[in-house]
Amino acid sequence: MNYDKIDKKARKILQENDRGLYTVPTKGLYPYQWNWDSAFAAWGFSSFNVRRAWAELETLFTGQWDNGMVPHIVFHKQAIGYFPGPDVWNLERVPHTSGITQPPIAATMARAVYEADKHYGRVHMELLFGRLVSWHRWFMKNRIEDGMVVITHPWESGRDNAIDWDDALANVDGSNVGEYHRRDTDHVDPSMRPKKEDYDKYLALVQFSRDAGYDEKVIKSDGPFRVGDVGMTFLFLRACRDLLHIAVELDHEVDEIEGWIKILKKGVERHWNEDRGHYDSVDVRTGQFTNSLSCASFLCWYAGIKDDRMLTHYDRIMQTVDFGIPSNDPDDPHFNHLRYWRGPVWGMFNSLIGIGLAETGHTVHAERLRKRTQKLIAEHGFYEYFSPLDGAPAGGTHFTWTAAIWLTWASPHAKGRF
Ligand code: GLC
């Protein structure tokens, strides 16, 4: 296998998806700046162009709201042919944005860029630090219940149609959303995307928040969908630890961030589903576990939780499939190997799980996961996601985050590897 050639291809994908100061996840399907995709892009750029990596994060924060929230999409240019675009979100601000957030991994990726650029990076890090703190503060003020991070729309999780949300979505009425034309299925086979009935509910939730004037108090008291997302809690805990590290480096106050970490660690305990023996999401409206074992449950190690209880599930799944940890347990009756977050394997998730394993001392597990992801991408290409059964590529092609994790983690030449 010619890995130099594959490295080159990965860099080319980032460059092709680069719109100057931000990177699209892939052209066509996702033509704007997505929040956590951009953080991955910054990480990827840090392996060969740190200046461009900083620009990526700085551009993302031009979309930050006055209350600190960083939206899941920033529409830097007119959105023709994308649904739901700025007219649906209906926000009076420039650049236009969506009205919900996404996994807050920017602090983690900013730290990675800073590590790659210790000297000149300091000024960039100083500029970003306050913005990161205010985003984290927004989460702590509005989205923490029992120490868990609560999402108010499945899209906030980054795992749009995961099985985790099925029961909670039963409370959402999608029958009155009106006529609309979704665009994703113009680009990708509909059998690999969320179903129409799910999409109706996603839109109903957008309309609810919009009509509530995006008032977090109203969303909390009347919102039909509120779930403590195990993935968000782990990623946010990790990001707070990285923010703390940055604060120490920059000589900033640390008490507030330390307080957040304490609260989130309590939340981690609330996510433990004793009956099923794994970390799980919680419908905070009913107090019920969602009873689904997804790739997000395995982010415990990435969050710095030294907990071996998840290893039994981990080993079972790695024996069942060959390409890493799929978005849902392959033994679950709802598992679907090609439908987006209901079964496919995502390279970027493998990278986070693998790094977490390595950091908590599970180096053999970590190395196996890295090798399998390496083989998957080297043999099948830089796709959005893959079937965990046979590695068949699916979704969008020339995908930014798949290229980014190749350069930073999966490639044999990746520096970030352990
Ligand atoms: C989908 C994914 C989400 C991602 C976006 C752009 O909505 O579920 O995680 O950020 O596409 O790639």
Side-chain angles (χ1 to χ4, degrees):
M1 193 65 73
N2 185 341
Y3 290 111
D4 286 328
K5 220 169 143 192
I6 304 175
D7 291 352
K8 213 165 146 197
K9 175 110 202 267
R11 285 192 289 270
K12 196 157 169 246
I13 288 174
L14 287 187
Q15 283 155 347
E16 280 171 2
N17 290 342
D18 181 0
R19 294 294 172 269
L21 290 171
Y22 69 93
T23 310
V24 298
T26 185
K27 72 168 192 278
L29 185 59
Y30 303 116
Y32 309 102
Q33 186 173 27
W34 260 257
N35 189 324
W36 74 324
D37 298 66
S38 231
F40 276 105
W43 188 29
F45 277 121
S46 75
S47 68
F48 66 103
N49 184 348
V50 280
R51 277 178 176 266
R52 185 56 192 79
W54 287 119
E56 186 73 31
L57 293 170
E58 285 158 9
T59 309
L60 174 65
F61 278 87
T62 63
Q64 185 167 34
W65 289 11
D66 288 346
N67 66 2
M69 197 273 271
V70 184
H72 98 296
I73 307 174
V74 188
F75 300 99
H76 293 291
K77 55 175 197 156
Q78 219 192 346
I80 299 166
Y82 180 77
F83 185 84
D87 52 325
V88 178
W89 296 100
N90 197 28
L91 280 148
E92 298 261 339
R93 71 178 310 289
V94 179
H96 289 306
T97 68
S98 69
I100 55 173
T101 195
Q102 246 194 345
I105 61 164
T108 297
M109 297 315 179
R111 177 179 171 188
V113 179
Y114 185 44
E115 304 286 341
D117 184 27
K118 264 294 166 58
H119 191 60
Y120 293 108
R122 195 175 172 100
V123 65
H124 290 283
M125 200 61 257
E126 288 279 10
L127 284 171
L128 272 180
F129 181 77
R131 291 182 166 269
L132 288 165
V133 169
S134 76
W135 187 20
H136 285 217
R137 211 174 263 147
W138 174 85
F139 268 108
M140 293 309 298
K141 181 173 168 212
N142 300 298
R143 296 301 190 83
I144 303 296
E145 281 182 54
D146 279 350
M148 301 179 290
V149 178
V150 171
I151 56 167
T152 59
H153 193 298
W155 290 341
E156 289 195 318
S157 69
R159 299 181 292 122
D160 303 12
N161 66 339
I163 290 162
D164 314 33
W165 325 131
D166 287 0
D167 287 351
L169 279 174
N171 190 49
V172 179
D173 177 9
S175 63
N176 292 314
V177 291
E179 286 290 308
Y180 64 94
H181 173 56
R182 56 192 279 202
R183 301 291 181 144
D184 56 329
T185 42
D186 296 349
H187 298 278
V188 172
D189 178 349
S191 70
M192 297 178 183
R193 298 290 301 181
K195 294 182 178 155
K196 157 108 173 82
E197 57 263 38
D198 296 324
Y199 224 85
D200 288 347
K201 292 181 179 217
Y202 300 155
L203 262 196
L205 286 170
V206 169
Q207 292 172 355
F208 170 81
S209 293
R210 180 191 66 195
D211 297 346
Y214 300 101
D215 182 335
E216 286 292 332
K217 283 204 189 83
V218 178
I219 294 171
K220 184 170 178 184
S221 58
D222 303 347
F225 178 93
R226 290 191 306 111
V227 180
D229 170 8
V230 68
M232 279 289 234
T233 303
F234 284 141
L235 291 172
F236 188 50
L237 172 53
R238 164 73 189 226
C240 285
R241 291 189 202 273
D242 288 318
L243 195 63
L244 177 67
H245 181 92
I246 297 166
V248 171
E249 288 255 324
L250 300 183
D251 265 336
H252 283 286
E253 284 292 317
V254 294
D255 294 1
E256 185 182 10
I257 305 175
E258 281 176 348
W260 298 342
I261 291 173
K262 232 189 222 160
I263 293 169
L264 292 166
K265 277 173 149 174
K266 279 264 157 240
V268 167
E269 288 168 25
R270 176 67 182 89
H271 277 297
W272 183 257
N273 183 335
E274 186 60 38
D275 289 348
R276 293 176 48 115
H278 62 75
Y279 288 109
D280 197 3
S281 294
V282 177
D283 184 339
V284 294
R285 292 183 61 263
T286 61
Q288 302 295 311
F289 281 109
T290 59
N291 291 315
S292 57
L293 177 57
S294 75
C295 52
S297 305
F298 295 97
L299 291 176
C300 48
W301 304 301
Y302 193 62
I305 307 292
K306 293 201 169 58
D307 186 341
D308 287 356
R309 292 176 297 178
M310 289 298 293
L311 282 178
T312 322
H313 293 291
Y314 182 90
D315 290 336
R316 170 177 57 80
I317 291 175
M318 289 290 275
Q319 271 160 22
T320 313
V321 295
D322 284 336
F323 303 102
I325 295 296
S327 44
N328 199 70
D329 185 348
D331 291 335
D332 184 303
H334 301 289
F335 171 85
N336 176 328
H337 77 127
L338 284 179
R339 204 179 272 281
Y340 216 35
W341 291 99
R342 300 176 78 85
V345 67
W346 296 67
M348 33 66 88
F349 247 93
N350 277 352
S351 75
L352 305 181
I353 297 169
I355 290 172
L357 281 165
E359 287 174 351
T360 49
H362 305 293
T363 40
V364 174
H365 287 83
E367 189 56 12
R368 192 176 307 136
L369 184 55
R370 200 179 66 82
K371 282 272 164 57
R372 288 190 184 186
T373 313
Q374 187 177 91
K375 190 168 180 314
L376 177 66
I377 298 174
E379 288 178 5
H380 298 274
F382 290 95
Y383 279 81
E384 186 178 10
Y385 49 93
F386 306 84
S387 161
L389 303 183
D390 55 12
T397 172
H398 295 95
F399 225 82
T400 289
W401 60 22
T402 313
I405 65 102
W406 174 268
L407 292 168
T408 48
W409 177 73
S411 162
H413 309 129
K415 284 217 187 70
R417 88 180 191 81
F418 26 91

